[in-house]
Amino acid sequence: GALFRELTSGPHAVAPDVITYSALITAYERGGRWREAEAVFQDMRAAGMAPDTIAYSSLLSAYAKAGKWRAALELYKEMEEADVRIDTIAYSALICVLAKGDQLRRALEVYAHMTAQGTPPDRIVYSDLLRACAKAGAVEAAMGLQQDMKQRGDHLDNGLQL
């Protein structure tokens, strides 16, 4: 926005770095402004900077809040191709938007990849997946998730919100 332009131009300009861009993407994500978050992400790349995990995760979260599952899935693929570390936050945002977008099969594929990579799922991931299973009538998938939760420890079933 205007503040960013003011900071990066004029006689007292500050050269933005990855942290500056990531913070701005996060601010737009928290404000529900996915288009602005996406524009800053593109500006970051145009400036020759490689987005970090925080920038990617924030843009994924912005897409999730906006229900933009296709854009989120493309960004996830880009993260994999760029060999950017995908953390629980990024996986959670992607699974959330896929589950809410009636993309249960894709959400379960991402979950399988997440766990295969050694990234532990949290309550949010399980809640989103179980809600999507319930909506789709996918009883076997829900039972498999319940079994996974038990294997990972019963602390995950406490406070699970469906």
Side-chain angles (χ1 to χ4, degrees):
L3 178 60
F4 186 72
R5 279 191 298 279
E6 187 177 320
L7 286 172
T8 58
S9 61
H12 303 290
V14 176
D17 59 9
V18 172
I19 295 168
T20 309
Y21 280 110
S22 294
L24 189 56
I25 293 165
T26 300
Y28 281 131
E29 175 267 328
R30 289 184 181 162
R33 298 170 66 177
W34 70 270
R35 284 183 181 90
E36 289 88 344
E38 184 179 66
V40 171
F41 188 86
Q42 298 303 332
D43 289 347
M44 173 194 255
R45 285 202 271 193
M49 290 182 212
D52 62 0
T53 299
I54 295 169
Y56 275 108
S57 293
S58 294
L59 187 55
L60 268 174
S61 293
Y63 287 151
K65 286 180 180 178
K68 311 291 282 175
W69 68 265
R70 285 182 180 88
L73 197 56
E74 286 302 314
L75 190 65
Y76 166 71
K77 290 175 185 174
E78 184 181 311
M79 289 176 79
E80 287 187 311
E81 289 168 8
D83 203 27
V84 173
R85 186 178 68 83
I86 304 173
D87 61 8
T88 302
I89 295 168
Y91 277 119
S92 181
L94 181 58
I95 288 169
C96 172
V97 72
L98 289 170
K100 288 180 180 174
D102 296 328
Q103 300 298 311
L104 178 60
R105 182 187 56 77
R106 286 185 169 112
L108 290 170
E109 288 170 0
V110 171
Y111 168 77
H113 188 258
M114 171 188 191
T115 56
Q117 295 296 314
T119 305
D122 58 14
R123 288 182 184 147
I124 297 168
V125 167
Y126 283 118
S127 293
D128 287 337
L129 286 171
L130 289 170
R131 262 192 237 102
C133 287
K135 185 176 177 183
V139 176
E140 287 184 32
M143 289 171 61
L145 288 167
Q146 183 183 22
Q147 190 63 36
D148 287 354
M149 287 175 13
K150 285 182 181 177
Q151 288 175 351
R152 292 185 183 281
D154 63 353
H155 67 281
L156 285 173
D157 329 292
N158 299 330
L160 197 63
Q161 297 178 3
L162 296 176

